[in-house]
Amino acid sequence: MKRKHEAPWSTGAWRKQLADVITDVGELLQILELQGGTPTGIPSALRRFPLRVPRAFVDRMRRGDPADPLLRQVLPILEEDRKVPGFTTDPVGELVSPPRDAVLQKYRGRALLMVTGTCAVHCRYCFRRHSPCADRETVARVFDAAIRRIAADPTIAEVILSGGDPLTLPDTELGVLAMRLAALPNVRRLRIHSRMPIVLPQRVDTRLTTWIGGLEVPAIVVVHVNHANEIDDDVRRALAALAATGAILLNQAVLLRGVNDTADVLSNLSQSLFDADVLPYYLHMLDAVEGAAHFRVPDEAAKNLYGELTARLPGYLVPKLVREVPGAPAKIGVDLWS
């Protein structure tokens, strides 16, 4: 049921904060009182995939702690330059079968619309860190073609707005696109995948909640939280405002070594999400993208963690442990791993 969906922040204030993200490693370390603000080693990967992190997210990091789980997700380290067998620039096969008119169809009945190549934060484990989409500010010029493609396929019942992060686009552009998609006869649901409500919660302003609440089809907002420390009071307010629109809120996390690879951390994450109106949805195994091997959790350890989690929590708080396999008709659950 839709409730009053006034957001706690003034319309458009997030644009200024998005333009003022931290892009310098030395500045990040200085703010966090680490190493005297001087990097000990800069990976060459930083040239291809630069540091990018909103100050609102940095504010949640522990000062003086190089092992902080939020810092670990965004700090470039020399390990990224290490070549590891099996880790590639295209771990899920998107470069082999690239989007057409910005539309990517991996699974039956769903279409992924790559609305932008921009993100508010550069997560060092991102499976698209080598993707050409990272070079695009927006693909707005092909939105008309994308809508025609989706409208012409009656099997597409759900459209997923992705990128990059769709919520880096202004609402004057994104809201119109969403409403056009929602008006298509074959589209029954609209899904928005975004890390913005977490790393820059001020993005959830009245303009955003108004168009989400006014959609003609159910909306699902899938956020990305890996650790409970990412959820502060501002994030809770943002998520509450999204929930008040009537949207279903789900979370996708990635299992990351040194970030959330213990049963205590994962259990706390699920319960913190539920307290913030979000249901745990997926816990992804790391995609084997070049530069992220240091985040890998071995399969056997992941299975053991999943077993501990199912023993601790009610079923609705246990995310599905899955991995993505290029060409598979769906994500592969832990029960089907070889």
Side-chain angles (χ1 to χ4, degrees), residues 151-162:
D153 187 345
T155 70
I156 297 175
E158 182 169 319
V159 177
I160 302 163
L161 300 183
S162 184

Side-chain angles (χ1 to χ4, degrees), residues 9 19 33 40-41 60 121 130 180-181 196 206 245 259:
W9 294 285
E33 303 170 12
T40 56
R60 288 165 246 166
V121 62
H130 301 283
R180 290 179 66 189
L181 290 166
M196 284 280 277
T206 301
T245 68
V259 174

Side-chain angles (χ1 to χ4, degrees), residues 40-105:
T40 56
I42 300 296
S44 63
L46 191 62
R47 293 194 297 270
R48 300 184 300 272
F49 191 55
L51 171 72
R52 183 174 175 85
V53 55
R55 297 176 189 275
F57 193 65
V58 175
D59 287 343
R60 288 165 246 166
M61 298 176 186
R62 295 189 292 257
R63 271 46 183 170
D65 182 3
D68 177 81
L70 278 61
L71 174 63
R72 184 166 167 79
Q73 295 179 55
V74 301
L75 181 67
I77 61 174
L78 287 175
E79 278 287 296
E80 294 184 30
D81 287 340
R82 184 166 61 94
K83 302 295 183 182
V84 178
F87 281 73
T88 72
T89 58
D90 187 22
V92 298
E94 290 186 351
L95 300 183
V96 175
S97 301
R100 297 179 60 192
D101 299 323
V103 177
L104 183 64
Q105 286 184 266

Side-chain angles (χ1 to χ4, degrees), residues 51-303:
L51 171 72
R52 183 174 175 85
V53 55
R55 297 176 189 275
F57 193 65
V58 175
D59 287 343
R60 288 165 246 166
M61 298 176 186
R62 295 189 292 257
R63 271 46 183 170
D65 182 3
D68 177 81
L70 278 61
L71 174 63
R72 184 166 167 79
Q73 295 179 55
V74 301
L75 181 67
I77 61 174
L78 287 175
E79 278 287 296
E80 294 184 30
D81 287 340
R82 184 166 61 94
K83 302 295 183 182
V84 178
F87 281 73
T88 72
T89 58
D90 187 22
V92 298
E94 290 186 351
L95 300 183
V96 175
S97 301
R100 297 179 60 192
D101 299 323
V103 177
L104 183 64
Q105 286 184 266
K106 292 183 180 181
Y107 307 130
R108 181 177 176 82
R110 286 152 285 174
L112 192 93
L113 181 51
M114 310 281 284
V115 301
T116 180
T118 300
C119 281
V121 62
H122 284 177
C123 302
R124 306 312 297 179
Y125 51 87
C126 180
F127 70 95
R128 289 190 179 128
R129 59 181 288 167
H130 301 283
S131 172
C133 77
D135 299 329
R136 297 196 306 262
E137 282 301 312
T138 179
V139 290
R141 65 187 182 280
V142 300
F143 285 169
D144 286 345
I147 291 171
R148 287 195 298 270
R149 181 174 295 278
I150 292 167
D153 187 345
T155 70
I156 297 175
E158 182 169 319
V159 177
I160 302 163
L161 300 183
S162 184
D165 191 318
L167 292 188
T168 59
L169 291 182
D171 292 307
T172 50
E173 187 173 345
L174 187 64
V176 171
L177 172 65
M179 287 185 280
R180 290 179 66 189
L181 290 166
L184 297 178
N186 54 311
V187 174
R188 300 176 63 178
R189 297 173 301 278
L190 188 69
R191 206 192 313 174
I192 304 164
H193 284 210
S194 179
R195 193 132 158 80
M196 284 280 277
I198 309 304
V199 300
L200 210 168
Q202 290 77 11
R203 175 63 182 92
V204 184
D205 59 18
T206 301
R207 183 171 290 169
L208 174 68
T209 56
T210 297
W211 71 253
I212 290 178
L215 290 173
E216 298 179 24
V217 297
I220 303 100
V221 178
V222 182
V223 295
H224 178 178
V225 187
N226 294 316
H227 194 285
N229 288 4
E230 298 177 40
I231 305 173
D232 66 357
D233 287 342
D234 281 346
V235 171
R236 291 186 191 93
R237 282 192 284 268
L239 295 172
L242 286 170
T245 68
I248 297 169
L249 305 188
L250 304 174
N251 183 63
Q252 293 190 119
V254 180
L255 184 59
L256 301 167
R257 184 164 69 89
V259 174
N260 58 9
D261 56 336
T262 71
D264 285 343
V265 170
L266 289 173
S267 175
N268 189 31
L269 172 60
S270 282
Q271 296 187 83
S272 297
L273 286 166
F274 186 77
D275 291 344
D277 294 322
V278 183
L279 275 178
Y281 174 39
Y282 276 147
L283 177 61
H284 287 271
M285 291 295 288
L286 177 73
D287 292 312
V289 64
E290 184 179 288
H294 54 289
F295 288 113
R296 175 170 52 184
V297 175
D299 283 7
E300 197 58 35
K303 289 179 182 180

